[in-house]
Short mmCIF file of all heavy atoms in Angstrom, two decimals:
data_model
loop_
_atom_site.label_atom_id
_atom_site.label_comp_id
_atom_site.label_asym_id
_atom_site.label_seq_id
_atom_site.Cartn_x
_atom_site.Cartn_y
_atom_site.Cartn_z
N SER X 1 0.84 -1.20 0.00
CA SER X 1 0.00 0.00 0.00
C SER X 1 0.88 1.26 -0.01
O SER X 1 0.61 2.23 -0.72
CB SER X 1 -0.92 0.00 1.23
OG SER X 1 -1.63 1.20 1.30
N ILE X 2 1.93 1.23 0.82
CA ILE X 2 2.86 2.36 0.88
C ILE X 2 3.53 2.58 -0.46
O ILE X 2 3.65 3.69 -0.97
CB ILE X 2 3.94 2.13 1.98
CG1 ILE X 2 3.31 2.20 3.36
CG2 ILE X 2 5.07 3.15 1.85
CD1 ILE X 2 2.92 3.60 3.80
N GLU X 3 3.96 1.46 -1.07
CA GLU X 3 4.67 1.55 -2.34
C GLU X 3 3.76 2.12 -3.44
O GLU X 3 4.20 2.95 -4.24
CB GLU X 3 5.19 0.18 -2.76
CG GLU X 3 6.05 0.23 -4.02
CD GLU X 3 6.63 -1.12 -4.39
OE1 GLU X 3 6.52 -2.07 -3.58
OE2 GLU X 3 7.20 -1.23 -5.48
N GLU X 4 2.52 1.66 -3.45
CA GLU X 4 1.57 2.19 -4.43
C GLU X 4 1.32 3.67 -4.21
O GLU X 4 1.22 4.46 -5.17
CB GLU X 4 0.24 1.41 -4.34
CG GLU X 4 0.30 0.00 -4.87
CD GLU X 4 0.75 -0.06 -6.32
OE1 GLU X 4 0.25 0.77 -7.13
OE2 GLU X 4 1.63 -0.89 -6.66
N GLU X 5 1.21 4.06 -2.93
CA GLU X 5 1.00 5.48 -2.61
C GLU X 5 2.20 6.30 -3.05
O GLU X 5 2.07 7.41 -3.55
CB GLU X 5 0.75 5.64 -1.11
CG GLU X 5 0.46 7.07 -0.66
CD GLU X 5 -0.90 7.57 -1.13
OE1 GLU X 5 -1.68 6.77 -1.69
OE2 GLU X 5 -1.16 8.77 -0.95
N CYS X 6 3.41 5.74 -2.84
CA CYS X 6 4.65 6.43 -3.25
C CYS X 6 4.67 6.67 -4.76
O CYS X 6 5.05 7.74 -5.24
CB CYS X 6 5.87 5.60 -2.85
SG CYS X 6 6.31 5.74 -1.10
N LYS X 7 4.26 5.63 -5.52
CA LYS X 7 4.25 5.77 -6.97
C LYS X 7 3.28 6.84 -7.43
O LYS X 7 3.57 7.61 -8.35
CB LYS X 7 3.91 4.42 -7.63
CG LYS X 7 5.02 3.39 -7.50
CD LYS X 7 4.61 2.06 -8.13
CE LYS X 7 5.74 1.02 -8.00
NZ LYS X 7 5.34 -0.29 -8.57
N THR X 8 2.13 6.87 -6.75
CA THR X 8 1.12 7.90 -7.08
C THR X 8 1.66 9.29 -6.80
O THR X 8 1.54 10.21 -7.62
CB THR X 8 -0.17 7.66 -6.27
OG1 THR X 8 -0.69 6.37 -6.60
CG2 THR X 8 -1.21 8.73 -6.59
N LYS X 9 2.27 9.43 -5.61
CA LYS X 9 2.80 10.75 -5.22
C LYS X 9 4.04 11.12 -6.02
O LYS X 9 4.31 12.31 -6.24
CB LYS X 9 3.06 10.79 -3.73
CG LYS X 9 1.79 10.76 -2.89
CD LYS X 9 2.05 10.97 -1.42
CE LYS X 9 0.77 10.93 -0.59
NZ LYS X 9 -0.13 12.06 -0.90
N LEU X 10 4.80 10.14 -6.45
CA LEU X 10 5.96 10.40 -7.32
C LEU X 10 5.48 11.06 -8.61
O LEU X 10 6.05 12.08 -9.05
CB LEU X 10 6.70 9.11 -7.65
CG LEU X 10 7.82 9.19 -8.70
CD1 LEU X 10 8.99 10.01 -8.16
CD2 LEU X 10 8.30 7.80 -9.09
N SER X 11 4.45 10.48 -9.21
CA SER X 11 3.90 11.04 -10.44
C SER X 11 3.32 12.44 -10.19
O SER X 11 3.48 13.35 -11.02
CB SER X 11 2.79 10.12 -10.97
OG SER X 11 2.20 10.67 -12.13
N LEU X 12 2.72 12.61 -9.01
CA LEU X 12 2.10 13.89 -8.65
C LEU X 12 3.16 14.98 -8.52
O LEU X 12 3.05 16.06 -9.12
CB LEU X 12 1.32 13.73 -7.35
CG LEU X 12 0.47 14.94 -6.92
CD1 LEU X 12 -0.59 15.28 -7.97
CD2 LEU X 12 -0.18 14.65 -5.57
N PHE X 13 4.21 14.71 -7.72
CA PHE X 13 5.21 15.79 -7.53
C PHE X 13 6.02 16.03 -8.81
O PHE X 13 6.42 17.16 -9.09
CB PHE X 13 6.10 15.52 -6.31
CG PHE X 13 7.32 14.65 -6.50
CD1 PHE X 13 8.40 15.04 -7.27
CD2 PHE X 13 7.40 13.41 -5.87
CE1 PHE X 13 9.52 14.26 -7.42
CE2 PHE X 13 8.53 12.61 -6.00
CZ PHE X 13 9.59 13.04 -6.79
N HIS X 14 6.21 14.98 -9.61
CA HIS X 14 6.92 15.17 -10.88
C HIS X 14 6.16 16.12 -11.79
O HIS X 14 6.76 16.99 -12.44
CB HIS X 14 7.12 13.80 -11.55
CG HIS X 14 7.74 13.90 -12.92
ND1 HIS X 14 9.03 14.34 -13.13
CD2 HIS X 14 7.22 13.65 -14.14
CE1 HIS X 14 9.30 14.33 -14.43
NE2 HIS X 14 8.21 13.91 -15.08
N GLY X 15 4.84 15.96 -11.84
CA GLY X 15 4.01 16.84 -12.65
C GLY X 15 4.09 18.28 -12.19
O GLY X 15 4.18 19.20 -13.01
N HIS X 16 4.08 18.49 -10.87
CA HIS X 16 4.18 19.85 -10.33
C HIS X 16 5.56 20.46 -10.62
O HIS X 16 5.66 21.66 -10.91
CB HIS X 16 3.94 19.84 -8.82
CG HIS X 16 2.51 19.59 -8.44
ND1 HIS X 16 1.46 20.27 -9.01
CD2 HIS X 16 1.95 18.74 -7.52
CE1 HIS X 16 0.31 19.86 -8.47
NE2 HIS X 16 0.59 18.92 -7.57
N VAL X 17 6.59 19.64 -10.57
CA VAL X 17 7.95 20.14 -10.86
C VAL X 17 8.04 20.61 -12.31
O VAL X 17 8.64 21.63 -12.63
CB VAL X 17 9.00 19.06 -10.56
CG1 VAL X 17 10.37 19.46 -11.14
CG2 VAL X 17 9.13 18.85 -9.04
N LEU X 18 7.42 19.84 -13.21
CA LEU X 18 7.46 20.19 -14.63
C LEU X 18 6.83 21.56 -14.89
O LEU X 18 7.25 22.30 -15.78
CB LEU X 18 6.73 19.13 -15.46
CG LEU X 18 7.44 17.78 -15.62
CD1 LEU X 18 6.56 16.80 -16.42
CD2 LEU X 18 8.81 17.92 -16.28
N THR X 19 5.83 21.92 -14.09
CA THR X 19 5.17 23.23 -14.23
C THR X 19 5.74 24.26 -13.26
O THR X 19 5.20 25.36 -13.12
CB THR X 19 3.66 23.10 -14.00
OG1 THR X 19 3.43 22.59 -12.66
CG2 THR X 19 3.03 22.18 -15.02
N LYS X 20 6.84 23.86 -12.58
CA LYS X 20 7.53 24.74 -11.63
C LYS X 20 6.63 25.18 -10.46
O LYS X 20 6.80 26.24 -9.87
CB LYS X 20 8.12 25.98 -12.32
CG LYS X 20 9.14 25.61 -13.40
CD LYS X 20 9.87 26.83 -13.89
CE LYS X 20 10.80 26.49 -15.07
NZ LYS X 20 11.81 25.48 -14.72
N ASN X 21 5.64 24.35 -10.13
CA ASN X 21 4.77 24.61 -8.98
C ASN X 21 5.39 23.87 -7.78
O ASN X 21 4.89 22.83 -7.34
CB ASN X 21 3.35 24.11 -9.26
CG ASN X 21 2.37 24.53 -8.18
OD1 ASN X 21 2.76 25.12 -7.17
ND2 ASN X 21 1.10 24.24 -8.40
N TYR X 22 6.47 24.41 -7.27
CA TYR X 22 7.25 23.74 -6.25
C TYR X 22 6.54 23.64 -4.91
O TYR X 22 6.75 22.69 -4.16
CB TYR X 22 8.62 24.43 -6.09
CG TYR X 22 9.46 24.34 -7.31
CD1 TYR X 22 9.86 25.50 -7.99
CD2 TYR X 22 9.89 23.11 -7.82
CE1 TYR X 22 10.65 25.42 -9.14
CE2 TYR X 22 10.68 23.03 -8.97
CZ TYR X 22 11.06 24.20 -9.62
OH TYR X 22 11.82 24.12 -10.75
N ASP X 23 5.69 24.62 -4.62
CA ASP X 23 4.94 24.57 -3.35
C ASP X 23 4.02 23.35 -3.33
O ASP X 23 3.94 22.62 -2.32
CB ASP X 23 4.11 25.84 -3.18
CG ASP X 23 4.97 27.01 -2.74
OD1 ASP X 23 6.07 26.77 -2.20
OD2 ASP X 23 4.56 28.18 -2.94
N ALA X 24 3.32 23.12 -4.44
CA ALA X 24 2.41 21.97 -4.52
C ALA X 24 3.19 20.66 -4.55
O ALA X 24 2.69 19.62 -4.09
CB ALA X 24 1.54 22.09 -5.77
N ALA X 25 4.41 20.70 -5.07
CA ALA X 25 5.22 19.49 -5.17
C ALA X 25 5.79 19.04 -3.82
O ALA X 25 6.08 17.86 -3.63
CB ALA X 25 6.36 19.70 -6.15
N TYR X 26 5.93 19.98 -2.89
CA TYR X 26 6.65 19.72 -1.64
C TYR X 26 6.05 18.56 -0.84
O TYR X 26 6.78 17.64 -0.44
CB TYR X 26 6.72 20.97 -0.79
CG TYR X 26 7.55 20.79 0.46
CD1 TYR X 26 8.94 20.77 0.40
CD2 TYR X 26 6.94 20.61 1.70
CE1 TYR X 26 9.71 20.59 1.54
CE2 TYR X 26 7.70 20.43 2.85
CZ TYR X 26 9.08 20.42 2.76
OH TYR X 26 9.84 20.23 3.91
N GLU X 27 4.76 18.58 -0.58
CA GLU X 27 4.16 17.54 0.30
C GLU X 27 4.27 16.12 -0.29
O GLU X 27 4.75 15.22 0.38
CB GLU X 27 2.69 17.92 0.60
CG GLU X 27 2.00 16.99 1.59
CD GLU X 27 1.47 15.69 0.95
OE1 GLU X 27 1.04 15.76 -0.24
OE2 GLU X 27 1.53 14.62 1.59
N PRO X 28 3.82 15.91 -1.54
CA PRO X 28 3.95 14.56 -2.09
C PRO X 28 5.42 14.13 -2.23
O PRO X 28 5.73 12.95 -2.07
CB PRO X 28 3.26 14.64 -3.46
CG PRO X 28 3.20 16.09 -3.80
CD PRO X 28 3.11 16.81 -2.49
N TRP X 29 6.27 15.08 -2.53
CA TRP X 29 7.71 14.76 -2.63
C TRP X 29 8.27 14.28 -1.30
O TRP X 29 8.99 13.28 -1.24
CB TRP X 29 8.48 15.99 -3.14
CG TRP X 29 9.96 15.83 -3.01
CD1 TRP X 29 10.78 15.02 -3.76
CD2 TRP X 29 10.83 16.48 -2.07
NE1 TRP X 29 12.09 15.14 -3.36
CE2 TRP X 29 12.14 16.03 -2.31
CE3 TRP X 29 10.61 17.42 -1.05
CZ2 TRP X 29 13.24 16.47 -1.59
CZ3 TRP X 29 11.70 17.87 -0.32
CH2 TRP X 29 12.98 17.38 -0.58
N MET X 30 7.92 14.98 -0.21
CA MET X 30 8.41 14.60 1.11
C MET X 30 7.88 13.22 1.51
O MET X 30 8.59 12.43 2.16
CB MET X 30 8.00 15.64 2.16
CG MET X 30 8.92 16.86 2.20
SD MET X 30 10.66 16.47 2.66
CE MET X 30 10.45 15.99 4.37
N TYR X 31 6.66 12.94 1.12
CA TYR X 31 6.08 11.62 1.44
C TYR X 31 6.92 10.52 0.78
O TYR X 31 7.30 9.52 1.42
CB TYR X 31 4.63 11.53 0.96
CG TYR X 31 3.98 10.20 1.26
CD1 TYR X 31 3.30 9.99 2.46
CD2 TYR X 31 4.07 9.12 0.35
CE1 TYR X 31 2.71 8.76 2.74
CE2 TYR X 31 3.51 7.90 0.64
CZ TYR X 31 2.83 7.71 1.83
OH TYR X 31 2.28 6.49 2.13
N VAL X 32 7.23 10.69 -0.50
CA VAL X 32 8.01 9.68 -1.22
C VAL X 32 9.42 9.61 -0.64
O VAL X 32 9.97 8.50 -0.44
CB VAL X 32 8.07 10.01 -2.72
CG1 VAL X 32 8.90 8.96 -3.46
CG2 VAL X 32 6.67 10.08 -3.32
N ARG X 33 9.99 10.75 -0.37
CA ARG X 33 11.36 10.79 0.18
C ARG X 33 11.44 10.04 1.51
O ARG X 33 12.40 9.30 1.76
CB ARG X 33 11.79 12.24 0.34
CG ARG X 33 13.18 12.43 0.93
CD ARG X 33 13.40 13.92 1.22
NE ARG X 33 14.68 14.16 1.87
CZ ARG X 33 15.04 15.32 2.40
NH1 ARG X 33 14.21 16.36 2.33
NH2 ARG X 33 16.21 15.45 2.99
N ASP X 34 10.45 10.23 2.38
CA ASP X 34 10.47 9.63 3.72
C ASP X 34 10.13 8.13 3.68
O ASP X 34 10.67 7.35 4.47
CB ASP X 34 9.48 10.34 4.64
CG ASP X 34 9.95 11.76 5.01
OD1 ASP X 34 11.17 12.02 4.87
OD2 ASP X 34 9.11 12.58 5.42
N ASN X 35 9.21 7.76 2.79
CA ASN X 35 8.70 6.39 2.82
C ASN X 35 9.32 5.44 1.80
O ASN X 35 9.33 4.24 2.02
CB ASN X 35 7.17 6.43 2.63
CG ASN X 35 6.46 7.03 3.82
OD1 ASN X 35 6.29 6.37 4.85
ND2 ASN X 35 6.03 8.27 3.69
N CYS X 36 9.79 5.99 0.68
CA CYS X 36 10.34 5.14 -0.39
C CYS X 36 11.62 5.76 -0.94
O CYS X 36 11.67 6.15 -2.12
CB CYS X 36 9.33 4.94 -1.51
SG CYS X 36 7.70 4.41 -0.97
N PRO X 37 12.64 5.93 -0.14
CA PRO X 37 13.85 6.67 -0.55
C PRO X 37 14.61 6.04 -1.72
O PRO X 37 15.41 6.72 -2.35
CB PRO X 37 14.70 6.67 0.71
CG PRO X 37 14.24 5.49 1.50
CD PRO X 37 12.77 5.38 1.24
N LYS X 38 14.34 4.76 -2.01
CA LYS X 38 15.04 4.09 -3.10
C LYS X 38 14.18 3.96 -4.37
O LYS X 38 14.60 3.34 -5.34
CB LYS X 38 15.46 2.67 -2.68
CG LYS X 38 16.46 2.63 -1.54
CD LYS X 38 16.84 1.19 -1.21
CE LYS X 38 17.82 1.10 -0.06
NZ LYS X 38 18.19 -0.32 0.24
N LEU X 39 13.03 4.59 -4.36
CA LEU X 39 12.08 4.38 -5.45
C LEU X 39 12.59 4.91 -6.79
O LEU X 39 12.52 4.23 -7.80
CB LEU X 39 10.73 5.05 -5.13
CG LEU X 39 9.62 4.88 -6.16
CD1 LEU X 39 9.27 3.41 -6.36
CD2 LEU X 39 8.38 5.69 -5.76
N ASN X 40 13.12 6.15 -6.81
CA ASN X 40 13.49 6.77 -8.09
C ASN X 40 14.51 7.89 -7.83
O ASN X 40 14.37 8.66 -6.87
CB ASN X 40 12.24 7.34 -8.78
CG ASN X 40 12.48 7.66 -10.24
OD1 ASN X 40 13.29 8.53 -10.56
ND2 ASN X 40 11.77 6.99 -11.13
N ILE X 41 15.49 8.02 -8.70
CA ILE X 41 16.51 9.07 -8.57
C ILE X 41 15.89 10.46 -8.66
O ILE X 41 16.46 11.44 -8.20
CB ILE X 41 17.61 8.88 -9.64
CG1 ILE X 41 18.79 9.85 -9.40
CG2 ILE X 41 17.03 9.10 -11.04
CD1 ILE X 41 19.54 9.61 -8.13
N ALA X 42 14.68 10.56 -9.23
CA ALA X 42 14.00 11.85 -9.34
C ALA X 42 13.75 12.47 -7.97
O ALA X 42 13.65 13.69 -7.85
CB ALA X 42 12.67 11.67 -10.08
N ILE X 43 13.66 11.63 -6.94
CA ILE X 43 13.47 12.15 -5.56
C ILE X 43 14.58 13.15 -5.26
O ILE X 43 14.34 14.21 -4.65
CB ILE X 43 13.51 11.01 -4.53
CG1 ILE X 43 12.37 10.03 -4.80
CG2 ILE X 43 13.44 11.55 -3.12
CD1 ILE X 43 12.53 8.72 -4.02
N TYR X 44 15.79 12.89 -5.72
CA TYR X 44 16.96 13.69 -5.37
C TYR X 44 17.28 14.74 -6.43
O TYR X 44 17.65 15.86 -6.11
CB TYR X 44 18.14 12.76 -5.11
CG TYR X 44 17.76 11.71 -4.10
CD1 TYR X 44 17.35 10.44 -4.50
CD2 TYR X 44 17.67 12.05 -2.74
CE1 TYR X 44 16.91 9.50 -3.58
CE2 TYR X 44 17.22 11.11 -1.81
CZ TYR X 44 16.83 9.84 -2.22
OH TYR X 44 16.37 8.94 -1.32
N LYS X 45 17.07 14.37 -7.70
CA LYS X 45 17.32 15.33 -8.76
C LYS X 45 16.29 16.45 -8.74
O LYS X 45 16.61 17.64 -8.84
CB LYS X 45 17.34 14.64 -10.13
CG LYS X 45 18.58 13.75 -10.34
CD LYS X 45 18.65 13.24 -11.77
CE LYS X 45 19.90 12.44 -12.02
NZ LYS X 45 21.15 13.21 -11.88
N GLU X 46 15.00 16.09 -8.65
CA GLU X 46 13.95 17.10 -8.66
C GLU X 46 13.77 17.72 -7.28
O GLU X 46 13.26 18.85 -7.17
CB GLU X 46 12.65 16.47 -9.18
CG GLU X 46 12.78 16.02 -10.63
CD GLU X 46 11.48 15.49 -11.22
OE1 GLU X 46 10.47 15.43 -10.48
OE2 GLU X 46 11.48 15.14 -12.41
N GLY X 47 14.19 17.00 -6.24
CA GLY X 47 14.13 17.56 -4.90
C GLY X 47 14.99 18.78 -4.75
O GLY X 47 14.70 19.69 -3.95
N LYS X 48 16.06 18.84 -5.50
CA LYS X 48 16.95 20.00 -5.47
C LYS X 48 16.18 21.29 -5.80
O LYS X 48 16.27 22.29 -5.09
CB LYS X 48 18.10 19.80 -6.46
CG LYS X 48 19.04 20.99 -6.62
CD LYS X 48 20.17 20.64 -7.58
CE LYS X 48 21.11 21.80 -7.80
NZ LYS X 48 20.54 22.89 -8.62
#
């Protein structure tokens, strides 16, 4: 369940980053970072 939620939120924050809506990206990004730190390198590249 956590992994599925991480994938959903990964897609969500990635979409916000593409539109430079960093405020909206912050919460789903932090969720993925805290719960699935090995899921995707985008956590660290886009987290910057």
Side-chain angles (χ1 to χ4, degrees):
S1 175
I2 290 288
E3 185 176 351
E4 288 302 316
E5 183 70 6
C6 281
K7 288 178 180 178
T8 300
K9 290 186 180 294
L10 171 68
S11 178
L12 187 61
F13 86 68
H14 175 66
H16 288 312
V17 168
L18 289 178
T19 59
K20 300 189 185 302
N21 188 354
Y22 296 118
D23 283 340
Y26 184 76
E27 185 278 325
W29 169 72
M30 279 297 292
Y31 180 90
V32 179
R33 178 188 177 190
D34 289 341
N35 292 283
C36 309
K38 297 181 180 181
L39 181 61
N40 195 297
I41 188 64
I43 299 168
Y44 308 98
K45 289 188 177 296
E46 296 184 357
K48 175 178 179 288

